[in-house]
């Protein structure tokens, strides 16, 4: 009989090996799924994971990869603080949308004034503020009313979704848009546009900020008292309390961090790759970032790599949709499977599998 | 157009039924000490399974049976991971939701229904002739009655039966229950399957009765509201009914106000069920969660 035996320490080898094993496992399971759908499995996996990087059209896909990875990494870095401390902000998608609405509103308020030195920084501040405000609702409710932050933050995703749809046809609609839904395109407004810093590299301010966030988070976790407190609170709330960590302040700070980063990610997205406040703006990044955070083992460098990989599944998924007529939902399911296999393989990190012969206990 | 209170209250019951079904299943799961955040994923899987099974066969009964089976199947996946491979329940539940939403969208995409399905009303003889009250309470389809019957059955099981006592003991303290010789994993797995089947039925009620057609993301957060109601109800079956009908009431009322053309923008009405959930959660959530809720059980020696 197979039996699980708890390791005294998490295995160092498996800590690094499990994400790799999980990705391979997902490719195999995904291949079986595609085969089941009547698609050639090997071609499907190659279209998703290989062609965007090394295929004939890689020159087009590679910049896209950075654009898609930036919001995922930004949001996931923010979430990793809360997740390590046992604070479950599941509503990053809502904070991301609110950041976009706040950021775009600032830009649209100044339109058509040209003053990039003023408007762009203000937009960044507004994006952060939008995300933080949206994240403070569940945080304050948890601190003062002991309300479950998972449910509240999630309910607010639906509210934010309704809001952006309403604004795109109401308050923020382009007055010169011939009645079409959607705001003015910020990409055509030089003071607000978040374009590639170097043409066709895909590197915009959001990408720069994401790399910066990874470095700062790394320093925080490795060298700073705050990072230590977060880890301590997650592993042993009692020990953290004795060490003088204020649990309420930790909730507020962690939620503000994740909300702010999600908000700024939304602002960079609406000013750049997306360009508009539109009903179709929400792209599920806030939820995918949860997978990124776990796949990256809540470690900044891991999140960087996991963000790039998940961005690849987005782009490869798009490519597979047009090339192989795969349904768009397949990629979402694929991402769910990735999280499933990651969590399952993780058992090897904390437990040893022992073969035992049945005997009377 | 005026709002007719009799039709409104009857609509409240219809709007509440999917949430009530999903919530009563999750209540049993949580009382056994497992936090399954994948209700939304199980519901939408049930919705698509029920829709396809129902329309392939032309029978509502087959549809609901298929929905229960589909919900239980994805719940079994959750059970295998959390109980067998000892994964984090919060993360696994989220994965289940992502997976279920994707699976349902994929299965439902481009599906053309060959047969119509109708879920007949079953007026209760005698009682349904009572003026007003008869139409509100006793002129519904079988699933509405089933949802109430399930609440009664779950109450009886948890509070009055030996099996319920064991389940609650496991939920309160799985180490102690294990030491007494109860099979923690088997009981929990059964509870998870029951929760999945109930969520599946709730989902199918949306796709076969409330909407009734297939649209992407059809459950639109009903699973999460069901989770919230379990917390609101303090893990007690009777309060669950009050909670579910309260939220059904907000949903039905806002739809009626939309239809009546009052000067409130549609957007603000359609976000009202979510806002109401937050307010009620903050103001009223009472009760104590089962002691072992969400904790990983590993029988070490």
């Amino acid at each position: 009989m197979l039996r699980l035996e708890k390791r005294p320490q998490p295995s160092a080898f498996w800590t690094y090996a499990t994400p790799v094993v999980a990705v391979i496992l997902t490719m195999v399971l995904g291949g079986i799924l595609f085969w089941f759908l009547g698609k050639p499995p090997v071609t499907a996996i190659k279209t998703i994971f290989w062609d965007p990087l090394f295929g004939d059209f890689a020159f087009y896909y590679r910049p896209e990869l950075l654009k898609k990875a930036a919001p995922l990494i930004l949001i996931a870095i923010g979430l990793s603080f809360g997740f390590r401390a046992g604070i479950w902000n599941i509503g990053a998608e809502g904070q991301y949308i609110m950041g976009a609405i706040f950021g775009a509103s600032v830009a649209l308020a100044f339109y058509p004034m040209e003053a990039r030195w003023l408007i762009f920084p203000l937009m960044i501040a507004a994006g952060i503020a939008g995300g933080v405000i949206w994240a403070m609702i569940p945080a304050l409710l948890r601190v003062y009313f002991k309300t479950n932050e998972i449910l509240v933050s999630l309910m607010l995703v639906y509210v934010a979704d309704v809001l952006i749809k309403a604004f795109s046809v109401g308050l923020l609609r382009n007055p010169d848009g011939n009645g079409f839904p959607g705001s003015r395109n910020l990409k055509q407004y030089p003071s607000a546009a978040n374009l590639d810093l170097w043409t066709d590299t895909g590197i915009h301010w959001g990408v720069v900020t994401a790399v910066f966030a990874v470095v700062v988070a790394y320093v925080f976790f490795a060298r700073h008292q705050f990072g230590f407190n977060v880890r301590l609170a997650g592993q042993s709330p009692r020990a953290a309390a004795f060490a003088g960590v204020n649990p309420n302040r930790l909730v507020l700070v962690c939620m503000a961090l994740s909300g702010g980063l999600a908000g700024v990610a939304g602002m960079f997205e609406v000013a750049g790759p997306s360009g508009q406040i539109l009903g179709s703006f929400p792209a599920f990044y806030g939820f995918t970032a949860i997978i990124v955070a776990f796949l990256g083992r809540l470690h900044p460098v891991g999140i960087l790599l996991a963000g790039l990989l998940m961005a690849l599944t987005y782009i490869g998924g798009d490519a597979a949709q047009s090339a192989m007529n795969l349904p768009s939902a397949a990629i979402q399911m694929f991402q769910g499977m990735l999280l499933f296999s990651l969590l399952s393989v993780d058992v090897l990190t904390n437990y040893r599998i022992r073969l035992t012969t049945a005997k009377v206990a | 157009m005026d709002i007719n209170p009799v039709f409104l209250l009857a609509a409240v019951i219809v709007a509440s039924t999917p949430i009530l079904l999903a919530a009563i299943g999750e209540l049993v799961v949580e009382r056994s000490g497992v936090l399954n955040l994948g209700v939304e994923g199980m519901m939408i899987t049930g919705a698509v399974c029920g829709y396809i099974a129902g329309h392939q066969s032309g029978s509502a009964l087959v549809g609901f049976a298929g929905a229960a089976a589909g919900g239980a199947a994805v719940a079994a996946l959750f059970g295998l991971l959390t109980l067998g491979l000892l994964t984090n329940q919060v993360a696994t539940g989220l994965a289940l939701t992502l997976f279920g939403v994707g699976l349902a969208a994929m299965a439902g995409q481009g599906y053309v229904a060959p047969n119509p399905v109708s879920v007949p009303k079953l007026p209760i003889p005698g009682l349904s002739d009572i003026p007003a009250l008869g139409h509100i309470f006793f002129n519904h389809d079988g699933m509405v009655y089933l949802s109430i019957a399930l609440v009664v059955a779950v109450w009886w099981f948890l509070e009055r039966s030996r099996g319920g006592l064991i389940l609650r003991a496991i939920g309160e303290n799985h180490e102690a229950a294990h030491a007494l010789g109860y099979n923690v994993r088997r009981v929990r797995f059964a509870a998870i399957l029951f929760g999945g089947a109930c969520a599946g039925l709730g989902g199918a009620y949306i796709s076969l009765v409330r909407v009734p057609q297939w649209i992407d993301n059809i459950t639109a957060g009903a699973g999460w509201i069901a989770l919230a109601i379990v917390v609101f109800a303090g893990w007690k079956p009777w309060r669950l009914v009050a909670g579910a009908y309260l939220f059904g009431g907000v949903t039905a009322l806002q739809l009626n106000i939309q239809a009546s053309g009052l000067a409130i923008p549609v957007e603000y009405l359609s976000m009202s069920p979510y806002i109401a959930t937050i307010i009620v959660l903050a103001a009223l959530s009472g009760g104590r969660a089962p002691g072992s809720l969400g904790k990983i059980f590993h029988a070490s020696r």
Side-chain angles (χ1 to χ4, degrees), chain B residues 3 8 12 247-259 269 272:
Chain B
I3 295 172
L8 175 66
V12 165
F247 291 101
V250 174
T251 309
L253 187 64
Q254 62 99 355
L255 286 173
N256 267 270
I257 294 176
Q258 280 186 28
L269 286 173
S272 58

Side-chain angles (χ1 to χ4, degrees), chain A residues 4 154 158 162 166 327 329 343 347, chain B residues 81 85 87 105 109 221 224 267 298:
Chain A
L4 295 175
L154 213 119
Y158 291 95
V162 173
L343 293 166
V347 73
Chain B
L81 259 64
L85 297 173
T87 59
Q109 198 171 47
W224 295 106
E267 305 80 51
H298 177 234

Side-chain angles (χ1 to χ4, degrees), chain A residues 46-47 50-62:
Chain A
K46 182 169 165 286
T47 313
W50 184 261
D51 288 355
L53 288 177
F54 308 108
D56 293 338
F57 299 101
F59 64 89
Y60 168 74
Y61 287 124
R62 279 183 205 152

Side-chain angles (χ1 to χ4, degrees), chain A residues 71-289:
Chain A
L72 290 175
I73 293 169
L74 274 172
I75 301 171
I77 288 281
L79 292 178
S80 67
F81 282 91
F83 286 0
R84 280 203 185 199
I87 298 158
W88 298 95
N89 175 11
I90 303 301
E93 179 81 2
Q95 293 138 23
Y96 167 82
I97 294 172
M98 291 317 279
I101 293 179
F102 272 55
S105 301
V106 167
L108 295 169
F110 280 101
Y111 184 88
M113 194 175 110
E114 290 296 348
R116 190 171 170 84
W117 59 271
L118 171 71
I119 296 173
F120 200 65
L122 269 183
M123 284 169 70
I124 294 177
I128 294 173
V132 170
I133 289 171
W134 218 236
M136 274 303 106
I137 300 172
L140 291 171
L141 287 178
R142 168 164 161 169
V143 168
Y144 291 106
F145 295 93
K146 304 234 178 303
T147 315
N148 183 317
E149 79 278 13
I150 297 179
L151 294 169
V152 175
S153 63
L154 213 119
M155 289 292 130
L156 288 172
V157 175
Y158 291 95
V159 176
D161 205 48
V162 173
L163 279 178
I164 196 168
K165 287 193 171 67
F167 284 155
S168 71
V169 294
L171 211 57
L172 299 179
R173 188 210 295 247
N174 182 358
D176 306 325
N178 301 321
F180 281 103
S183 69
R184 283 182 200 280
N185 197 325
L186 298 179
K187 275 194 277 193
Q188 289 152 14
Y189 177 24
S191 290
N194 175 28
L195 301 175
D196 289 4
L197 294 171
W198 298 278
T199 317
D200 291 335
T201 51
I203 300 173
H204 60 54
W205 278 109
V207 178
V208 176
T209 314
V211 174
F212 181 67
V214 168
V215 175
V216 172
Y218 182 83
V219 173
F220 258 118
F221 277 129
R223 291 278 176 272
H224 197 275
Q225 178 74 35
F226 172 70
F228 177 74
N229 288 352
V230 165
R231 284 188 293 159
L232 187 63
Q235 281 167 12
S236 170
R238 239 172 95 77
F242 284 126
V245 179
N246 180 339
N248 287 343
R249 191 185 304 152
L250 201 65
V251 170
L252 294 176
V253 172
C254 285
M255 290 294 281
L257 257 175
S258 54
L261 283 172
V264 81
M267 175 267 151
F268 283 129
E269 188 70 16
V270 79
S274 161
Q276 274 182 303
I277 290 288
L278 252 184
S280 60
F281 174 78
F284 231 65
Y285 284 141
F287 292 109
T288 311

